[in-house]
Amino acid sequence: DAGVIQSPRHEVTEMGQEVTLRCKPISGHDYLFWYRQTMMRGLELLIYFNNNVPIDDSGMPEDRFSAKMPNASFSTLKIQPSEPRDSAVYFCASSFAGRATEAFFGQGTRLTVV
Amino acid sequence: LAKTTQPISMDSYEGQEVNITCSHNNIATNDYITWYQQFPSQGPRFIIQGYKTKVTNEVASLFIPADRKSSTLSLPRVSLSDTAVYYCLVGDKIRYSSASKIIFGSGTRLSIRP
């Protein structure tokens, strides 16, 4: 398996634009996580899914953020409208039940909002 | 919600053994202790996990005393490539839940010198 795949690797956008980050988890994994990492706040859990169902989105900063998982092999994190303070590295990770805390992370998407 | 406390940074030299201690006074009965490693510009990588006593793999050893209120990650004979941030986390290994969220703290920034 190629691991967790995220796209794009880098994204530069203007304030107010919509941004969509994509993630393909490892096949067979039951859990999918979206994290955000900044120097100031470290790694923050935004939302996680179990069997494609969003379980806890309490980490999503505001209504401008939304995440979907239409099937077991694809998830998106959307920011609309984007703001400069959203600039961060966004990671997607997945794991499977029985080894839930052994998550595999993607390479991340570095988002810059100007 | 279990929390962890670990040193912000540590320095060592190539060839030395490095021990990073993590405190988790409120660890729950079902919680496992998990350590991740993160290199710059990469996502965190799972390195080791344990419940009690000692666990060893090809990368590290994990020592957990009987009361489980702390744990020590041991890296034998470190090299420059071990320079990274190391995170200690506690959580239910089997299933992930909002009641037992896995929170990445600030981690320990390990710097290895020649």
Side-chain angles (χ1 to χ4, degrees):
Chain A
D1 200 313
V4 176
I5 300 173
Q6 293 186 246
S7 64
R9 290 294 309 278
H10 302 273
E11 176 82 32
V12 180
T13 189
E14 292 185 345
M15 181 173 62
Q17 296 298 305
E18 176 180 294
V19 176
T20 299
L21 311 181
R22 297 172 176 80
C23 174
K24 176 179 168 51
I26 293 174
S27 177
H29 279 190
D30 309 282
Y31 294 97
L32 184 138
F33 311 90
W34 281 100
Y35 285 88
R36 177 173 69 175
Q37 186 171 38
T38 61
M39 288 294 293
M40 290 295 294
R41 301 175 68 90
L43 265 167
E44 302 174 276
L45 176 65
L46 301 177
I47 185 171
Y48 80 92
F49 296 80
N50 182 209
N51 293 323
N52 313 338
V53 176
I55 303 300
D56 189 335
D57 65 354
S58 60
M60 297 284 259
E62 354 182 334
D63 292 343
R64 297 185 296 106
F65 286 69
S66 63
K68 295 182 180 179
M69 192 166 186
N71 57 62
S73 59
F74 184 66
S75 177
T76 60
L77 178 68
K78 184 177 294 186
I79 308 172
Q80 165 63 21
S82 58
E83 297 182 3
R85 58 189 167 132
D86 301 329
S87 297
V89 180
Y90 291 81
F91 289 105
C92 175
S94 68
S95 66
F96 61 90
R99 303 177 74 170
T101 52
E102 188 177 333
F104 292 79
F105 281 73
Q107 290 285 71
T109 295
R110 181 174 295 278
L111 173 65
T112 302
V113 183
V114 298
Chain B
L1 177 62
K3 295 183 179 179
T4 60
T5 303
Q6 51 185 123
I8 293 176
S9 64
M10 293 181 67
D11 295 324
S12 189
Y13 294 90
E14 282 191 296
Q16 299 295 305
E17 178 184 79
V18 172
N19 296 309
I20 306 174
T21 298
C22 178
S23 297
H24 26 80
N25 292 317
N26 298 320
I27 189 168
T29 302
N30 293 334
D31 286 346
Y32 279 68
I33 300 150
T34 308
W35 285 79
Y36 282 81
Q37 174 191 56
Q38 186 177 24
F39 297 116
S41 302
Q42 293 188 25
R45 181 177 76 110
F46 169 90
I47 51 175
I48 199 166
Q49 183 178 79
Y51 186 81
K52 60 181 179 180
T53 62
K54 177 184 175 181
V55 179
T56 297
N57 62 21
E58 65 278 5
V59 177
S61 294
L62 179 59
F63 298 92
I64 306 167
D67 66 6
R68 303 197 332 118
K69 293 184 182 299
S70 66
S71 59
T72 299
L73 175 73
S74 181
L75 305 172
R77 298 180 299 281
V78 294
S79 64
L80 295 176
S81 63
D82 292 314
T83 294
V85 178
Y86 292 82
Y87 297 95
C88 164
L89 308 94
V90 294
D92 190 331
K93 167 185 176 181
I94 305 303
R95 59 189 59 80
Y96 196 88
S97 71
S98 298
S100 182
K101 284 185 184 179
I102 298 174
I103 306 298
F104 281 84
S106 301
T108 296
R109 188 171 299 275
L110 176 64
S111 298
I112 305 300
R113 304 166 189 251

